[in-house]
Amino acid sequence: MSQQQGAGSARFGQQDVTVDRRETVYQGFFRMDKLWLSHPRFDGGRMPQFTRELFLRGDATCVLPYDPQRDEVVLLEQFRAGVIGRDQSPWLLELVAGMNEVGETPEQVAQREGDEEAGLSFQTLEKICEYLVSPGGTDEMIHLFCGRVDASRAGGLHGIAAEHEDIRVHVVPVAEALAMVADGRINNAAAIIGLQWLQLNHQRLREAWA
C-alpha cells in the first residue's frame, strides 16, 4: 500500500468496470446472470476479460426485535434449504427478515415482515448498518435494524402458507441469545451482527427505550 493511498479510500469506482456482455442464464424464484467484464489493475495494467456468474437477490431488510423492559429479544425458527447437507439442523434461529419490494423503504419492509412473521409491530426502529452478504457472487444488500417491541405479545406460529413459510417464534433473554452466538447455536450473519450490536449498545438502548 502506498503512503498516498490509505486503506479507507477507493482508487477505482463503478465507472472503471467495463461489462462487455450480460446474459441471464437462469430465471426462477431467483435469477442468475453471466457477465463478461474487465477492470483496471492496481499495478496500472488492465485485467483481461473474464466471466462471473452473479446471483441476483436484490436488497433485503432484517430486524432484531428487542424489548428493553423485559430485556428480551424475539427470534424466529424456520427451515433454510441452504443448510441441507451440513452437520447441523436446517432449522435456524433468525431475525425478522424479508425481501425489499419495488417502491418500499427498508422501514416499510421491516413493519410488514414484523407483522407477517411474528405478529409484531415495531414502536421504534434504529438502523444498525447496511452490509453486502457475499459480494463475490451475489448483489444482495442487507438493511439491518433493531426494533423496539413488547415481547410479552410475541409467540406462536406464523408465516404465509402460500410462500411456504412455517415460522415458530421464540422469546429469549438477551444473555441467552448472546450465549447462543458464542457457542455457535446462532450462526447466520444477520443474527450475529444484530446481537453483537445489541451487546455493544445494550445499556444505551435500555435507557433510551425504557
Side-chain angles (χ1 to χ4, degrees):
M1 183 185 301
S2 71
Q3 293 181 349
Q4 293 77 23
Q5 194 70 28
S9 56
R11 180 175 177 182
F12 303 123
Q14 294 281 350
Q15 71 279 0
D16 296 301
V17 181
T18 301
V19 179
D20 296 304
R21 180 182 170 195
R22 183 170 191 147
E23 176 184 336
T24 298
V25 294
Y26 177 78
Q27 179 69 68
F29 186 72
F30 296 114
R31 170 182 153 195
M32 181 174 286
D33 283 5
K34 185 172 184 178
L35 281 64
W36 287 256
L37 66 155
S38 63
H39 61 73
R41 296 173 57 97
F42 292 120
D43 62 9
R46 189 162 187 86
M47 191 74 70
Q49 186 188 76
F50 61 100
T51 61
R52 285 289 185 271
E53 286 76 40
L54 186 62
F55 181 32
L56 301 171
R57 279 184 56 95
D59 286 7
T61 294
C62 299
V63 189
L64 172 63
Y66 173 57
D67 184 332
Q69 300 284 351
R70 297 161 60 100
D71 204 26
E72 294 172 331
V73 294
V74 179
L75 300 174
L76 311 185
E77 181 184 0
Q78 59 184 316
F79 171 79
R80 291 304 190 192
V83 192
I84 293 174
R86 295 193 178 275
D87 187 22
Q88 69 172 85
S89 170
W91 278 261
L92 303 183
L93 287 174
E94 301 181 328
L95 308 186
V96 168
M99 302 302 297
N100 295 8
E101 303 293 342
V102 176
E104 279 187 310
T105 66
E107 290 80 4
Q108 289 171 331
V109 179
Q111 295 290 0
R112 168 169 56 81
E113 293 296 331
D115 179 54
E116 291 179 1
E117 294 192 336
L120 293 173
S121 175
F122 298 112
Q123 303 161 27
T124 308
L125 286 169
E126 179 163 333
K127 184 175 180 179
I128 296 175
C129 67
E130 297 173 353
Y131 70 91
L132 293 161
V133 175
S134 184
T138 179
D139 68 339
E140 184 175 15
M141 174 83 81
I142 296 294
H143 302 262
L144 184 57
F145 294 87
C146 185
R148 181 183 175 187
V149 296
D150 177 359
S152 68
R153 304 169 63 88
L157 304 179
H158 298 268
I160 299 177
E163 296 180 5
H164 303 97
E165 291 181 337
D166 179 40
I167 298 169
R168 183 165 62 165
V169 172
H170 298 265
V171 178
V172 182
V174 169
E176 183 181 345
L178 293 172
M180 287 192 283
V181 171
D183 65 22
R185 282 176 288 167
I186 293 177
N187 67 346
N188 60 90
I192 292 172
I193 295 170
L195 286 165
Q196 289 183 336
W197 178 90
L198 179 60
Q199 187 175 26
L200 292 172
N201 292 273
H202 188 213
Q203 188 59 38
R204 177 182 65 82
L205 273 191
R206 292 204 76 182
E207 293 172 358
W209 285 1

